[in-house]
Amino acid sequence: MTEKVTRASAALLALGALAYTAWVLEVVVRTGLDPVRTYVSELAAADQPLGGLFRATDLVAGLLVLAGAATGLAGRFASARWVASAGRGALDGRPRASAGRFTTAGWIALAVFGAATAVDSRLPLSCAPTADPLCAARETAGLVPATHAAHAVSSGLAMTGALVAVVALTVAARRHGRWPPLARTGPVLVVLELVATAWTLAAVAAFEAGKGTWALGAGQRSQVLLVALWLAVLAYSLATEKDPLPDGSPTTEVPTPQEER
């Protein structure tokens, strides 16, 4: 990645991480929802007093992450072409383009996360099912707007994209010796994210089975907070990168046949 593109991607992702944590305003602003029991997305429900604010911050977060991921992906391919044209595209007879498969997959997954988050903000819940028994009963009976089902799909797609990106880009950082901050802290964040995701999924299953919430809100808030933290680490890693070249590319010049002669 060229330096300017790298810095642009870092800035977009850092701002996206900040916007993605807007829900922490519930610590200082009275929302009427219990953060231990309720979905984060219920803050943005159509019947909530601050729903418009949280829908707006979700939209901004999604668009910023989408732009940051697209910039990172475009920069990766641009720098890969530069490496190839400079005669640095292969080493030991192996093409270096294939070395960045984890990076490419990670950037694409991150773009999916951003796009799905933006779409998710346009498909709000009509009410808060974990806080309102009547809303939960209507949801169970299928008497809520179709946006509830659509929201579940977009939310699931967003978190799947986030998980794939977290794992793939962390693996890329460690495998290719890039982005030292992410290479050092990424594995811990991956493990914590997987634990938080398992907790959230178990809590959702318990709630849907009528067995309580199992601190669903705390689990999901941990999940999304860890994604935001990982985004911040990735942004910092990109901003402090000293040699923005494609993963697997040698960091020293490889002489061309003409130079060797």
Side-chain angles (χ1 to χ4, degrees):
M1 230 185 277
T2 63
E3 185 175 354
K4 288 183 178 180
V5 173
T6 302
R7 301 296 183 267
S9 181
L12 289 166
L13 293 175
L15 291 172
L18 182 62
Y20 197 58
T21 57
W23 56 269
V24 300
L25 289 173
E26 67 181 345
V27 175
V28 295
V29 177
R30 188 176 183 83
T31 64
L33 297 176
D34 182 357
V36 177
R37 299 179 64 254
T38 59
Y39 289 107
V40 176
S41 57
E42 288 177 296
L43 292 168
D47 68 343
Q48 294 302 304
L50 296 177
L53 170 64
F54 291 114
R55 289 193 295 274
T57 55
D58 280 350
L59 176 62
V60 170
L63 292 177
L64 284 169
V65 172
L66 174 59
T71 301
L73 186 62
R76 167 170 165 65
F77 286 126
S79 55
R81 287 194 296 271
W82 177 84
V83 167
S85 66
R88 299 171 63 187
L91 189 63
D92 298 331
R94 292 172 296 171
R96 305 315 296 174
S98 63
R101 286 174 296 182
F102 280 104
T103 305
T104 301
W107 283 125
I108 292 173
L110 195 59
V112 169
F113 164 66
T117 298
V119 170
D120 205 39
S121 72
R122 304 298 92 191
L123 299 169
L125 299 172
S126 63
C127 53
T130 64
D132 182 355
L134 180 58
C135 175
R138 285 169 34 218
E139 190 173 62
T140 301
L143 300 177
V144 292
T147 52
H148 279 242
H151 181 86
V153 173
S154 58
S155 292
L157 184 60
M159 194 47 60
T160 299
L163 287 172
V164 173
V166 166
V167 173
L169 291 177
T170 297
V171 169
R174 293 184 63 82
R175 186 174 181 179
H176 304 302
R178 301 286 303 283
W179 309 328
L182 183 61
R184 287 192 302 269
T185 62
V188 175
L189 293 175
V190 167
V191 172
L192 292 175
E193 180 64 28
L194 292 176
V195 170
T197 298
W199 175 6
T200 301
L201 292 175
V204 169
F207 174 69
E208 292 181 347
K211 297 181 179 179
T213 62
W214 291 17
L216 189 159
Q220 193 184 46
R221 282 163 175 76
S222 298
Q223 186 185 38
V224 298
L225 183 61
L226 285 165
V227 170
L229 180 58
W230 179 87
L231 282 171
V233 173
L234 174 61
Y236 177 73
S237 300
L238 291 170
T240 56
E241 188 175 24
K242 294 181 180 178
D243 184 25
L245 294 172
D247 293 314
S249 297
T251 56
T252 56
E253 291 290 344
V254 177
T256 63
Q258 292 81 4
E259 290 173 335
E260 288 177 344
R261 289 197 294 270

